[in-house]
Amino acid sequence: MALLATETILFVAILALLVRTALCSLRGFTLTERFFQLHIKLVVVHIQARLTLALECIDFLLHIALAALPLKQFLCLDLLAILFELTLALRIFGCFNAGRFIKESLTHTLHVLIRLDHLCKVVIRTTERHFGCQHKLTAAGVLAVVLAQAAWAGEDAVISTGTSSGKSLGYQLPILSRLAQEPTACALYLTPTKALGSDQLQAVLELCRGIPALKGVVPSPYDGDTPQESRAGVRDHSRFIFSNPDMVHMSLLAAHARWARLLRHLEFIVIDECHSYRGVFGANVALVLRRLLRLCAHYGSRPTVIYASATMKDPGRHAQRLTGRPARAITEDTAPTGARTVALWEPGFIEGAEGEHGAPVRRAATTEAAEMMASFIAEGARTMTFVRSRRSAEVVAMRAAEVLSGSLGRPDFAQRIAAYRAGYLAEDRRALERALDDASLLGVATTSALELGIDVGGLDAVVTAGFPGTVASFWQQAGRAGRRGQGSLVVLIARDEPMDTYLVHHPEALLGTPVENSVFDPTNPFILRGHVYCAAVERPLSEADVEAFGARDVVDDLTAAGLLRRRPAGWFA
């Protein structure tokens, strides 16, 4: 209980801070003292259980610090002294497990980390002068800090940056802090794909297992794969639910009385990969979210909404269209990235084959993609190939395995190729996701199911069979490789279509073009009609509700059709 009563430190954040400080002077964490004061309350991920690992990491950093920092000797010595002091603080923490000693050691560790942060700033300034850098040298952690501080203060915020830029850490810190602090607080995470939801759930489960204060959170999925017999338990006991907009519409809103506990204590809503909500799909999701916030207000809560997105145009406006609430936009992408090579590939012609009016016929993009993936894997590069259909995913995986077994002479590698697509059973999907995560698979052919956010570390190459339709989607797919800072290769193979052919011959139209604006209209009357009726079923509509939905004409039409009844208290279904 002493850990719960004192300010504590997120172990993962400590190690990230140490690594970024000692390994490379160009990647300084600029955490502020205010951030620590707010978020240090998220208990150490069982430091005593992992103390040996922490000390080994620090010892390793001490050995390489002098070689890694091209600075004046006194700065290196200061850095080493502070790292030694942090080592001592961790040792003290590991020796005592009661009240005053824990508080003193944590306070001392906090002061050491703040001094380390100050030294980081000196390192950055000195390195800028040394190399003549004109830009601000920061790291991915800065984004997590800014987002976490905004969310902790109750401010809606949207972070729109590239892959591996700290978005997940940015919402995990304030949410888990609040859940550890308040025993009844709840959070809801919404994702457009099951793979991404599963990936984020596993990350949160790993944190909760090692943090005593989070034992009662019980992070749980609630989607189409959740067994019927488990759903009541999730509703009644989980405080961090991972779901999707469809389940919110079909289950949570439709039977909101069963979800009263969650709605009454909901503190945070995370809308991950929100850039994918566009067009008719985006308009439907926006209205589902507005209905959700309306019921939260009815039950007495006002959750903070956190949006995470890939790089997009005007993310603040996009977030406001989704929920009708203004949101702070965080867009400065300072994440360290490795070198990325982008190749545009046009398949050759099939000898002797003729199309309409004698036109030559090119090789299929999927055939080229399968052979290219096999070649990359044979050279030792883990590869992910994106295709446009489920059938193509299976065909490319089979063809790549055949090439590896045949002409490339690597049947052992052929056994480590798989396809990933929608339509698999839940257990098969989870097995593939685990194999991707632990590097058992060397190559995977997939649809857009793996495009969004899933953290597959160690991928070296991405092959895209055909332009995915938007510049944003192309860069999302490209971002699956090189997520650990290593160099990566991205190949776009053109299909025999006018758009793909144009992009291959005019690369600036793809590589030099900003991402598209996300467009949808939540006031579209054809979409609004059904949602307004559902909202009236959930709870009678008031004048304020009608104005908030922008649905005056739609409500009049529904009333005239007899689907809604006007009463002094509002409109009833």
Coordinates of all heavy atoms in Angstrom, one line a residue, residues 176 179-180 204 208 213-220 237-240:
L176 N -4.0 5.8 -17.5 CA -3.6 4.9 -16.4 C -3.3 5.6 -15.1 O -3.6 5.1 -14.0 CB -2.4 4.0 -16.8 CG -2.6 3.1 -18.0 CD1 -1.3 2.3 -18.4 CD2 -3.7 2.1 -17.7
L179 N -6.8 6.1 -13.7 CA -7.4 4.9 -13.2 C -6.7 4.4 -11.9 O -7.4 3.8 -11.1 CB -7.3 3.8 -14.3 CG -8.0 4.1 -15.6 CD1 -7.9 2.9 -16.6 CD2 -9.5 4.4 -15.4
A180 N -5.4 4.7 -11.8 CA -4.8 4.3 -10.6 C -5.2 5.2 -9.4 O -5.2 4.8 -8.3 CB -3.2 4.3 -10.8
V204 N -1.5 -2.4 -22.9 CA -2.0 -1.9 -21.6 C -2.1 -3.1 -20.6 O -1.8 -2.9 -19.4 CB -3.4 -1.4 -21.9 CG1 -4.1 -1.1 -20.5 CG2 -3.4 -0.1 -22.7
C208 N -0.6 -3.1 -16.8 CA -1.4 -3.4 -15.7 C -1.0 -4.6 -14.8 O -1.2 -4.6 -13.6 CB -2.9 -3.6 -16.1 SG -3.6 -2.1 -16.7
A213 N -1.5 -0.9 -8.4 CA -2.7 0.0 -8.4 C -3.6 -0.2 -9.5 O -4.8 0.3 -9.5 CB -2.1 1.5 -8.4
L214 N -3.2 -0.9 -10.6 CA -4.1 -1.1 -11.7 C -4.6 -2.5 -11.8 O -5.2 -2.9 -12.8 CB -3.3 -0.8 -13.0 CG -2.8 0.6 -13.1 CD1 -1.9 0.8 -14.4 CD2 -3.9 1.6 -13.2
K215 N -4.5 -3.3 -10.7 CA -5.0 -4.7 -10.7 C -6.5 -4.7 -11.0 O -7.0 -5.7 -11.6 CB -4.7 -5.4 -9.4 CG -3.2 -5.6 -9.2 CD -2.6 -6.6 -10.2 CE -1.2 -6.9 -9.9 NZ -0.6 -7.8 -10.9
G216 N -7.2 -3.7 -10.5 CA -8.7 -3.7 -10.6 C -9.2 -3.1 -11.9 O -10.4 -3.0 -12.1
V217 N -8.3 -2.7 -12.8 CA -8.7 -2.1 -14.1 C -9.4 -3.1 -15.0 O -10.3 -2.8 -15.7 CB -7.5 -1.3 -14.7 CG1 -7.9 -0.8 -16.1 CG2 -7.1 -0.2 -13.9
V218 N -8.7 -4.3 -15.1 CA -9.2 -5.4 -16.0 C -9.5 -4.9 -17.4 O -10.6 -4.9 -17.9 CB -10.5 -6.0 -15.4 CG1 -10.8 -7.3 -16.1 CG2 -10.5 -6.1 -13.9
P219 N -8.4 -4.4 -18.1 CA -8.6 -4.1 -19.5 C -9.2 -5.2 -20.3 O -8.7 -6.4 -20.2 CB -7.2 -3.7 -20.0 CG -6.4 -3.5 -18.8 CD -7.0 -4.4 -17.7
S220 N -10.2 -5.0 -21.1 CA -11.0 -6.0 -21.8 C -11.4 -5.6 -23.2 O -11.8 -4.4 -23.4 CB -12.2 -6.5 -21.0 OG -11.8 -6.8 -19.7
H237 N -17.4 -5.2 -14.8 CA -16.2 -5.1 -14.1 C -15.0 -4.4 -14.8 O -14.2 -3.8 -14.1 CB -15.7 -6.6 -13.7 CG -16.7 -7.4 -13.0 ND1 -17.0 -7.0 -11.7 CD2 -17.4 -8.4 -13.3 CE1 -17.9 -7.9 -11.2 NE2 -18.2 -8.8 -12.2
S238 N -15.0 -4.4 -16.1 CA -13.8 -3.7 -16.8 C -13.9 -2.2 -16.6 O -15.0 -1.6 -16.8 CB -13.8 -4.1 -18.2 OG -12.7 -3.5 -18.9
R239 N -12.8 -1.6 -16.4 CA -12.7 -0.1 -16.3 C -12.0 0.5 -17.5 O -11.9 1.7 -17.6 CB -12.0 0.3 -15.0 CG -12.8 0.0 -13.8 CD -12.0 0.2 -12.5 NE -11.4 1.5 -12.5 CZ -10.3 1.8 -11.8 NH1 -9.6 0.9 -11.2 NH2 -9.8 3.1 -11.8
F240 N -11.4 -0.4 -18.4 CA -10.8 0.1 -19.6 C -11.2 -0.8 -20.7 O -10.7 -1.9 -20.9 CB -9.3 0.1 -19.4 CG -8.5 1.0 -20.4 CD1 -7.2 1.3 -20.2 CD2 -9.1 1.5 -21.5 CE1 -6.5 2.1 -21.1 CE2 -8.5 2.3 -22.4 CZ -7.1 2.6 -22.2

